[in-house]
Amino acid sequence: NFYFFRAYQISKIYFNNLDLEFIEDFKKTLLNHTRVIWYEKILQEEDESVASSFLKFNDGKISLEQAELIKALFVLDINKEKDITRQNYELNTFAEEWNEIEHNLQNDRFWYFVSNNKYNTEEANRINLLFEIVKGRGKNDDRLHAYRLYNDSFKNEEKPRWNEIGNLYSRLEEWFQSRKIYHLVGAIINLDLKSIEDLNEEFEKIENKEKFEEKLKKILSTEFLENKNDFKEKYNTNKLKYGDDNVNITRLLILFNIAVTELKDPYNQFPFNRLKNIKTWTLEHILAQNVEDFDDMKDVKIFRDDLKEMVEEINKDENQKFDKISGYFLELNKHIEKDNLKSSNEHLKAITKELSDILRLHEIENICLLDNVSNIKIGNKLFKRKRDILLKIDEETDLGGDAYIPLSTRLVFQKSFSKSENIKQMIYWSENDREDYRNAISEKIQEFLI
C-alpha cells in the first residue's frame, strides 16, 4: 500500500506541472493505444512449480534474483493455509521479518562486517547472503543454487523453516553487537582468511561464545603469529620492506588498526565499510622518502636542522657514509648563506637520498596506511605539515568527507605511540618515535590475539 500510494503522489505532482493539452494526449495514448500482453500460464509438467516455470519463460529477459524466488516459495506455501485469518497473520509476520532483516543488512557497517565483497549493485536483496550461508553457493557461482534446493524441499514436502533464517540473522546481529567478536570476525572476513559461511559452521560446532572467541583468535594467530611472542616470517616487523612486501605490510597495518580500535577506542567500532569503500589504499612514508622543493629559504633551514638532529640520534656505525653526508651539509650551508634556493633544494634532495637506508625510510617503522586521496594531498611534505593536513582531513571526514584517516595513522602523527620520555618535539619523526611505533605494532596485535 505504501508503494502504491507513493507512486500515486509522484504521478500527481508530475501531472500537476503539465499543461492540459499534453495531459489529454497522454490520456488518449494510455486508453486507446496501449495493450497488455497476457501470458496464460500452462505448466509443462505436473510437478513443475509456478516459480520454476516463470524462470524458464523469463530466461534471458529479466535478471531474476534468487532471494525474490525464494520469497515466492515461502509466500506460496503460506497461501496454502485455508484459515484466512491465520494466513494473513503469517503473511504479515513473514513480510515484516523479511523487511527488517533486509533493512538491517542494507546498513553498510553491518554488511561489510559479514561480507568482504563490494556489494553487487545489480542485486537488490542482501538477504541472499543468509540463504547462501544455509544452503551454500553451489558450483561455478550458480546464482540460483539455494533457490533450487529450497524448491526441491517444498516439492518433496520437506517444508523449510523460515525461522532458520531468522535465527541465523539473530546470531550475526549478536556477533555485530559483541565488540570483541565484531573486530575478530571483521578482521578474518576482510583479510580473506575465512568466509562468513565458514565461521558459522565453526560456531555451530562450538555453540559457546567464549570458545568461539578463542577460535577466532586462533584463526588470526595461525596467519600472523609464529608463537605468542613472534610474527610469522612474512610479517616480521624487523624485515618488512616497502616495495618488496607491500601486500604483507598492508595486511599487517589493517590488523594493527583493528587491534588499536579494539584496545584504545572503547566508544567506536572499526569501520569495515570505510575500509572496503576506499577505492585505493596506499602505504605512506611518515618521514617523506622524496622531499619536494621548498618555496622559502626559511623552510630549507628548518628541514636542514631536523635532518642534522636525526643524524645525530642514530648510532654512527657507518662513519664513511656519515662523513659523506657531513660534506653535503657543508655544501648546503654555503648555498643557504648565498640565499640560493634552487641549489639548496638540490642539496637537500641529495642528503635525503643518502639518508634513505640510514634512516630506514622503507621499513615498517616509517610506514602507515592512508587512502590515496589523502596521500596525494600531503605529498612529500615535512612531518609537521603532514600532521596539520591529516588532522584537517580527519575533521572533514567527521563532517561527511569522503576521505578516511585510519585510527593508527592519526595516532602516529599525534605521536600517541611514542613514549612520553621520547617525545622531545612534534616537528619530525625521530629515531625514538620510529622504534616506539614498531614496538606498538607488535604489542597491540599480540595483545589483541592472545
Side-chain angles (χ1 to χ4, degrees):
N1 287 338
F2 166 75
Y3 290 108
F4 274 125
F5 182 70
R6 188 170 72 172
Y8 164 74
Q9 291 288 357
I10 292 172
S11 300
K12 183 178 179 181
I13 293 170
Y14 173 74
F15 279 102
N16 282 343
N17 292 320
L18 299 175
D19 58 60
L20 291 176
E21 184 180 355
F22 180 89
I23 292 174
E24 283 300 315
D25 287 341
F26 184 90
K27 182 179 176 182
K28 289 177 182 178
T29 301
L30 180 64
L31 295 178
N32 302 318
H33 301 285
T34 303
R35 297 290 181 269
V36 175
I37 299 174
W38 184 266
Y39 174 68
E40 191 69 31
K41 176 71 186 70
I42 302 175
L43 296 179
Q44 302 300 318
E45 302 173 12
E46 289 185 8
D47 62 345
E48 185 179 22
S49 70
V50 174
S52 60
S53 175
F54 177 68
L55 183 64
K56 292 177 183 177
F57 174 72
N58 201 65
D59 187 36
K61 301 179 179 69
I62 301 172
S63 180
L64 296 176
E65 282 205 22
Q66 174 171 259
E68 294 296 342
L69 290 169
I70 293 173
K71 179 195 281 188
L73 293 176
F74 278 101
V75 169
L76 288 171
D77 184 66
I78 294 172
N79 283 338
K80 293 177 182 178
E81 172 61 53
K82 294 181 180 180
D83 185 328
I84 299 300
T85 302
R86 182 173 180 82
Q87 182 189 105
N88 287 335
Y89 170 77
E90 290 185 3
L91 281 173
N92 287 331
T93 301
F94 171 74
E96 287 175 7
E97 291 177 356
W98 179 288
N99 290 336
E100 180 181 2
I101 292 172
E102 180 60 39
H103 174 76
N104 291 334
L105 287 172
Q106 289 297 329
N107 177 357
D108 280 350
R109 287 185 63 250
F110 188 94
W111 178 250
Y112 289 114
F113 152 65
V114 296
S115 173
N116 187 31
N117 297 316
K118 289 194 173 182
Y119 190 64
N120 185 348
T121 55
E122 294 179 359
E123 296 180 302
N125 300 279
R126 291 182 175 182
I127 196 174
N128 190 59
L129 176 67
L130 304 186
F131 297 123
E132 291 180 341
I133 293 174
V134 172
K135 297 295 187 181
R137 297 180 187 269
K139 296 180 180 179
N140 301 320
D141 294 324
D142 180 4
R143 66 185 183 87
L144 297 176
H145 174 75
Y147 160 71
R148 300 183 206 284
L149 294 180
Y150 273 107
N151 191 33
D152 290 343
S153 295
F154 277 110
K155 283 198 303 184
N156 297 327
E157 297 184 354
E158 300 170 1
K159 186 175 179 179
R161 294 178 296 108
W162 164 247
N163 65 355
E164 184 179 24
I165 297 299
N167 292 339
L168 172 60
Y169 171 75
S170 296
R171 177 181 298 169
L172 299 182
E173 175 70 20
E174 184 180 351
W175 294 356
F176 180 73
Q177 298 298 339
S178 172
R179 180 176 173 80
K180 188 63 176 285
I181 289 180
Y182 167 85
H183 285 129
L184 290 168
V185 168
I188 291 169
I189 296 294
N190 281 272
L191 291 169
D192 271 331
L193 300 180
K194 296 276 185 180
S195 68
I196 194 65
E197 293 95 325
D198 296 330
L199 297 184
N200 185 59
E201 287 181 14
E202 293 288 351
F203 183 83
E204 289 182 342
K205 295 175 186 175
I206 299 170
E207 293 191 349
N208 178 292
K209 189 175 179 180
E210 289 72 26
K211 290 183 179 179
F212 181 58
E213 186 177 307
E214 291 302 315
K215 180 63 179 180
L216 297 175
K217 289 181 180 179
K218 185 177 180 181
I219 292 171
L220 286 163
S221 297
T222 300
E223 168 67 15
F224 287 93
L225 301 181
E226 190 68 42
N227 53 58
K228 65 179 183 179
N229 295 317
D230 300 305
F231 282 94
K232 290 280 185 69
E233 184 68 17
K234 63 180 179 178
Y235 298 112
N236 189 326
T237 55
N238 294 312
K239 297 182 179 180
L240 289 171
K241 295 283 186 182
Y242 175 84
D244 297 330
D245 306 307
N246 285 4
V247 172
N248 291 334
I249 292 175
T250 301
R251 289 170 64 81
L252 192 64
L253 290 179
I254 288 173
L255 183 62
F256 177 53
N257 273 278
I258 297 168
V260 169
T261 304
E262 166 69 23
L263 300 170
K264 294 179 71 72
D265 188 6
Y267 302 106
N268 294 293
Q269 292 176 313
F270 182 84
F272 291 105
N273 56 310
R274 302 303 300 273
L275 177 71
K276 189 57 61 178
N277 285 328
I278 294 295
K279 291 182 179 179
T280 305
W281 284 103
T282 61
L283 297 176
E284 168 65 13
H285 287 77
I286 302 167
L287 178 64
Q289 57 177 330
N290 297 305
V291 182
E292 63 182 17
D293 286 344
F294 292 101
D295 298 324
D296 192 300
M297 189 61 76
K298 180 181 177 181
D299 293 332
V300 171
K301 293 176 182 178
I302 291 173
F303 193 57
R304 174 201 61 187
D305 295 340
D306 289 346
L307 285 175
K308 287 180 70 175
E309 191 166 345
M310 279 187 279
V311 168
E312 290 168 2
E313 283 186 22
I314 299 172
N315 185 9
K316 302 177 181 178
D317 291 332
E318 300 180 58
N319 293 320
Q320 186 176 359
K321 183 168 284 189
F322 272 87
D323 289 340
K324 186 177 182 180
I325 293 170
S326 297
Y328 277 119
F329 274 114
L330 289 173
E331 287 295 319
L332 174 61
N333 290 335
K334 291 178 183 178
H335 292 286
I336 290 176
E337 290 171 4
K338 293 178 181 178
D339 204 32
N340 189 328
L341 183 61
K342 182 178 179 181
S343 295
S344 297
N345 274 318
E346 290 175 357
H347 277 75
L348 267 181
K349 289 180 179 179
I351 292 173
T352 54
K353 185 176 181 181
E354 287 295 328
L355 286 174
S356 178
D357 292 335
I358 298 170
L359 294 178
R360 303 187 298 280
L361 296 184
H362 298 314
E363 296 188 19
I364 198 169
E365 62 191 30
N366 191 48
I367 304 293
C368 63
L369 198 62
L370 198 61
D371 67 277
N372 191 50
V373 174
S374 301
N375 187 302
I376 292 172
K377 287 182 179 180
I378 66 174
N380 293 318
K381 294 178 174 58
L382 298 174
F383 177 85
K384 182 179 183 299
R385 288 186 180 179
K386 285 185 178 182
R387 183 182 72 243
D388 293 341
I389 294 171
L390 288 179
L391 292 180
K392 184 177 180 181
I393 293 173
D394 202 38
E395 290 177 4
E396 293 171 351
T397 300
D398 292 338
L399 297 174
D402 293 331
Y404 167 55
I405 309 300
L407 177 59
S408 71
T409 300
R410 173 157 49 87
L411 294 178
V412 158
F413 283 92
Q414 293 173 336
K415 293 203 174 183
S416 296
F417 299 117
S418 300
K419 296 177 181 178
S420 56
E421 64 269 22
N422 288 336
I423 301 179
K424 299 176 183 178
Q425 43 65 41
M426 296 294 287
I427 302 298
Y428 62 87
W429 189 237
S430 72
E431 174 75 3
N432 288 331
D433 293 326
R434 294 196 293 274
E435 185 177 348
D436 290 341
Y437 175 49
R438 182 199 293 272
N439 292 336
I441 293 173
S442 299
E443 291 167 3
K444 296 305 178 187
I445 289 177
Q446 289 168 347
E447 185 180 348
F448 178 53
L449 297 183
I450 296 173

